[in-house]
Amino acid sequence: MTQAPAGSRTLRRRHDREILALAVPAFGALVAEPLFVMVDSAIVGHLGTPQLAGLGIAAALLTTAVSVFVFLAYATTAAVARRVGAGDLPGAIRQGMDGIWLALLLGAAVIAATLPAAPWLIGLFGASDTAAPYAITYLRISSLGIPAMLVVLAATGILRGLQDTRTPLYVAIGGFGANAALNAVLVYGAGLGIAGSAWGTVIAQCAMAAVYLVVVVRGARRHGASLRPDSAGIRASAQAGVPLLVRTLSLRAVLMIATAVAARLGDADVAAHQIILSLWSLMAFALDAIAIAGQAIIGRYLGADDIKGAQEACRRMVQWGIVSGVLLGALIVLARPLFIPLFTGDQVVRDTLLPALLVVAVSQPVASIVFVLDGVLMGAGDGPYLAGAMLVTLAVFAPVALLVPALGGGLTALWWAMGLMMAVRMLTLWLRTRSGRWLVTGATR
């Protein structure tokens, strides 16, 4: 059996160390984020069903609002990593500060829109008369924390670009602990009910943002970077984020169409779909951690004018992604007798769930390649191509998914359509990486 040259093995080990050093803490931070809503749900759930229903509706709106602006993290990571690779640390931090100022402006705009529109937004979800007042209260108070949440996204992007994913992990863990404690004290100790839960979350989010700002400001002073808002830099950050915003909205549209189709199939189907979607999202965190490593590493290599290093890192991350996808798929199959009973005791839902779940398991290697290549191209600052590719994917997926009920298909057919969606994404991303057109070097793209 022929062994790989020693130099090749050394290079792989170096890439492996880089990927693990960034991906493992990133995974921890990603998992910590949804725990905020879980803690709120666990505490508010003991207040009553209307309160929990109100929280669920408001949390869905808030999660959607924040996820739309995730480009603040992605675009900032790529831009900062490029300047790090070019050896321009003051410029890297200055670039990141532009992202933070943009986050504050967007956060203020969201508050201005949400406070008066809260009853209308809650009404769109068809909230009951008993749940609506709680949902409006939670949404209005929690919206005050949106600027802090967006600052956290932008600052996380700065640190990732600086090749630091440990600090975001520590901040996420601290924020989770503070949120849990504040919720318990304000909801029950102070007797504020659902308003106490909202205020606890806002305070925790503001504390997280404050910690990030302290870290970034210290870095700026150490390297002599300006902290003042720069209109040209803020516009550049917004322009870089627009294509990623289009990509994110297109992906959200895919998920909304899938849920709408599942709802038309029947109660058992939509219940099973929500269970699968929850598991699918959890697995996405593991794969997204590798993608985050890709954003930081690829941006740094291209900033350093190292095309070969970027290509080799991309190849190694794809290998990591495929192995992760195979392992996750196998885990779904092997562990299904353990976790399915945790979600539902309804045999009809279980019977509907199982074959669709196997489709998800089979498609995990494809999903892994998609996540990795998505991160690679984000790290390269290839946002316009990602936006166009996701619009093509949406155009292919939408008619196929909408035909599922018309052709008498069930939930399994819908998840085959989701598998098709991932296959189209993989094809478009693979064609781009194979072309080499994403390999644009320099401190800025």
Side-chain angles (χ1 to χ4, degrees):
M1 181 174 174
T2 303
Q3 291 187 343
S8 177
R9 291 197 301 272
T10 301
L11 185 62
R12 284 202 303 269
R13 284 196 294 269
R14 180 163 66 85
H15 285 313
D16 291 345
R17 285 195 297 271
E18 280 189 326
I19 294 167
L20 280 172
L22 292 171
V24 173
F27 174 69
L30 288 169
V31 171
E33 290 172 10
L35 292 178
F36 269 73
V37 176
M38 290 180 63
V39 167
D40 289 4
S41 299
I43 292 175
V44 171
H46 292 285
L47 294 174
T49 299
Q51 289 91 332
L52 183 58
L55 170 66
I57 294 169
L61 282 166
L62 290 164
T63 301
T64 299
V66 174
S67 66
V68 164
F69 296 113
V70 74
F71 69 83
L72 289 166
Y74 293 160
T76 304
T77 298
V80 170
R82 273 185 176 270
R83 290 191 178 271
V84 168
D88 181 12
L89 283 177
I93 297 174
R94 172 66 264 174
Q95 188 99 43
M97 282 304 305
D98 292 334
I100 287 179
W101 284 112
L102 177 61
L104 289 170
L105 290 173
L106 291 173
V110 172
I111 289 179
T114 302
L115 289 178
W120 177 76
L121 290 170
I122 297 301
L124 287 178
F125 276 72
S128 67
D129 292 340
T130 54
Y134 297 111
I136 293 169
T137 297
Y138 190 91
L139 180 61
R140 279 180 165 159
I141 296 173
S142 293
S143 68
L144 301 177
I146 286 179
M149 295 167 74
L150 299 189
V151 166
V152 167
L153 286 176
T156 299
I158 296 175
L159 295 179
R160 288 173 181 171
L162 293 171
Q163 317 296 297
D164 176 10
T165 55
R166 290 182 179 273
T167 300
L169 171 61
Y170 300 147
V171 175
I173 292 173
F176 168 71
N179 181 59
L182 286 166
N183 268 259
V185 170
L186 295 176
V187 171
Y188 297 112
L192 297 179
I194 195 169
S197 176
W199 279 118
T201 301
V202 168
I203 294 169
Q205 289 162 347
C206 289
M208 291 171 67
V211 171
Y212 273 119
L213 288 174
V214 168
V215 172
V216 172
V217 168
R218 283 179 178 174
R221 289 176 175 169
R222 186 164 57 249
H223 296 288
S226 173
L227 297 172
R228 294 179 180 178
D230 176 63
S231 58
I234 293 172
R235 281 197 304 271
S237 294
Q239 289 169 357
V242 168
L244 295 179
L245 175 61
V246 172
R247 169 202 166 273
T248 300
L249 290 174
S250 300
L251 182 57
R252 297 294 301 183
V254 165
L255 299 177
M256 290 176 65
I257 290 171
T259 300
V261 170
R264 292 173 61 186
L265 296 175
D267 289 347
D269 293 87
V270 74
H273 175 74
Q274 287 304 116
I275 293 171
I276 295 175
L277 202 57
S278 298
L279 293 169
W280 192 71
S281 299
L282 180 61
M283 290 180 289
F285 285 131
L287 299 176
D288 205 26
I290 303 175
I292 287 169
Q295 293 171 32
I297 292 171
I298 295 298
R300 192 189 75 230
Y301 274 121
L302 294 179
D305 296 327
D306 187 353
I307 289 179
K308 184 179 179 182
Q311 290 173 321
E312 290 169 345
C314 174
R315 189 178 304 111
R316 191 58 177 162
M317 280 183 283
V318 169
Q319 293 170 353
W320 269 83
I322 292 172
V323 171
S324 300
V326 170
L327 291 176
L328 286 172
L331 182 63
I332 292 172
V333 174
L334 295 175
R336 66 188 190 282
L338 299 176
F339 65 76
I340 290 178
L342 296 177
F343 287 98
T344 180
D346 189 325
Q347 190 59 46
V348 176
V349 174
R350 291 186 184 186
D351 292 342
T352 305
L353 170 68
L354 187 57
L357 193 63
L358 295 177
V359 173
V360 174
V362 170
S363 66
Q364 281 309 292
V366 174
S368 68
I369 296 173
V370 168
F371 275 87
V372 171
L373 294 183
D374 207 37
V376 165
L377 295 183
M378 282 186 191
D382 207 12
Y385 182 84
L386 290 172
M390 198 61 225
L391 287 172
V392 169
T393 301
L394 175 60
V396 172
F397 170 77
V400 174
L402 294 173
L403 280 173
V404 168
L407 296 177
L411 187 66
T412 303
L414 175 60
W415 275 93
W416 275 120
M418 290 286 285
L420 172 65
M421 179 270 295
M422 296 303 288
V424 172
R425 288 188 72 190
M426 183 182 72
L427 177 61
T428 57
L429 297 175
W430 176 78
L431 288 173
R432 185 62 168 182
T433 52
R434 184 179 173 82
S435 73
R437 294 176 184 174
W438 57 283
L439 293 164
V440 179
T441 59
T444 58
R445 184 180 172 93

